[in-house]
Amino acid sequence: MSAHRAPDHGAGPRPHDASGPHRGPDLGAGRLPVVLLHALPLDSSMWEGTARELRARGHRVLTPDQCGFGAAPLPDRAPSLDLVADDLARELDRQGIGAVALAGCSMGGYAAMAFLRRHPHRVRALALLAARSTADTPEAAAQRLRFADAVLDDAARGPLVTATTPSLLGATSRARRPGLTARLTELALAAPPRAVAWAQRAIAARPDSAAVLRAAAVPAVVVIGAEDELVSLDEACATAGELPEGRLVALPGVGHLAPLEAPRATAEVLAGLLAQAETTAGAGVAAC
C-alpha cells in the first residue's frame, strides 16, 4: 500500500494518513480512525472531498491506494482481495493502529468485506457503499473476466472504457455535471490496464460474504445511490439486512460513486456512523 495525496478529483492502498501536512500526526488522537477504500478504476483521490469534510470534524482519515492504483505497486501474485486486506492490516500495524472504522465503495466495499473476514477484531464500524454481499453469479464473473482481457488489448481498451465509464455516475450527475463525467472518463482511461485487469479478476473470484456480515456485531451502514445502475436498491437492502446493526441509506440523485457525486452527503453518513461507534450506541436493522 502506498500513501497518496491528491487534488479535488480524489485518488487511493498502502493506507496513508490523510490528515495532511498542515495537521499534526496526533490529529484525531483518542478517536476511532476511519479507513476509506476506493472504487475501480480509481484511486484514493476519489475520497478527497469526503475526507476533507471528516478531517474538518477532527477525524483521523486514512485513504489507501489499492494494489496497482495510485502509488501502490501491483503484486506479482494471483489476483485476490485477500492480498488487499492483508496489505491494509500490515499498514495499520506499521502506523500503530489497532481497530478502525472501515468504509469501502464498490471494489473498496469488497476489499472491506475481505478485511472483515480476515481481521474481524480490527473493525469497529463498517460502511459499504455500492457493494453487494453476494458473490458474482457465473455470468457476472465471466463478464468481469472478459472485461479484464479486453482492457489489456490496446485497440479495445479506449472504446470499452469510454463506453462503460459514464454508467458509474447517476443520470442526474451525467445530465447536470458533464465535467464530472469527462473527468471520470479521463481518470478511467489513465488507470493502469494491468491493475484494472488484476482487480476485475480479484473481484470476480470473491466469495459470498453474507455469513461474515451476519457475524459483524458493529455499527454499520449500507449506502446506495438511488440512481445506481450497477447495484440495485434490493441488493443493498439485502446487504443491510445481513448486518446485525445495519441500516440502509439511499442518496437521491446519486449513482455508483457517492464519494465523487455527493462527497458532503457521504461524509454526513460516515460522521454519523463514527459518532455511533464512538459512543457504542447500536443501530437498528433498516426496514426494507
Side-chain angles (χ1 to χ4, degrees):
M1 285 191 174
S2 130
H4 180 88
R5 289 191 176 91
D8 194 33
H9 59 267
R14 164 181 195 159
H16 83 274
D17 185 338
S19 56
H22 60 294
R23 309 293 287 271
D26 61 345
L27 177 70
R31 306 192 70 178
L32 183 66
V34 57
V35 175
L36 309 177
L37 299 175
H38 65 83
L40 177 70
L42 305 175
D43 59 21
S44 65
S45 68
M46 70 168 284
W47 285 101
E48 177 64 23
T50 295
R52 183 168 55 246
E53 294 279 342
L54 292 173
R55 277 180 242 137
R57 297 168 182 255
H59 294 289
R60 183 178 182 183
V61 182
L62 295 92
T63 57
D65 285 315
Q66 295 173 62
C67 298
F69 296 93
L74 185 65
D76 187 20
R77 297 179 62 183
S80 171
L81 292 173
D82 289 349
L83 296 181
V84 180
D86 293 346
D87 197 14
L88 174 56
R90 284 190 294 271
E91 179 64 15
L92 295 178
D93 289 343
R94 189 187 70 80
Q95 295 199 30
I97 297 172
V100 297
L102 190 58
C105 180
S106 192
M107 174 178 72
Y110 302 132
M113 285 182 263
F115 187 89
L116 182 64
R117 180 182 297 107
R118 296 175 72 80
H119 308 280
H121 61 290
R122 304 189 77 156
V123 180
R124 295 288 172 81
L126 180 68
L128 300 174
L129 296 83
R132 56 179 69 86
S133 62
T134 54
D136 275 353
T137 64
E139 295 77 17
Q143 184 176 1
R144 287 192 195 276
L145 297 178
R146 287 193 296 271
F147 189 101
D149 290 339
V151 83
L152 294 174
D153 182 331
D154 290 341
R157 180 169 60 253
L160 176 66
V161 171
T162 300
T164 58
T165 298
S167 65
L168 295 174
L169 300 176
T172 298
S173 294
R174 294 196 300 268
R176 298 182 181 176
R177 302 168 68 187
L180 180 60
T181 304
R183 179 58 180 158
L184 179 60
T185 301
E186 178 186 345
L187 291 171
L189 288 169
R194 290 182 59 246
V196 173
W198 191 97
Q200 286 283 17
R201 290 168 179 149
I203 296 169
R206 76 188 190 282
D208 185 281
S209 293
V212 174
L213 298 187
R214 287 195 293 269
V218 298
V221 62
V222 174
V223 180
I224 186 71
E227 298 178 2
D228 193 329
E229 297 175 10
L230 302 183
V231 178
S232 72
L233 180 61
D234 286 346
E235 289 174 315
C237 189
T239 300
E242 301 287 2
L243 290 155
E245 298 183 27
R247 62 188 180 94
L248 180 71
V249 173
L251 298 178
V254 171
H256 195 65
L257 299 176
L260 276 183
E261 296 177 77
R264 183 167 296 175
T266 302
E268 288 288 341
V269 173
L270 295 181
L273 178 69
L274 288 163
Q276 183 184 341
E278 290 175 345
T279 59
T280 68
V285 175
C288 297

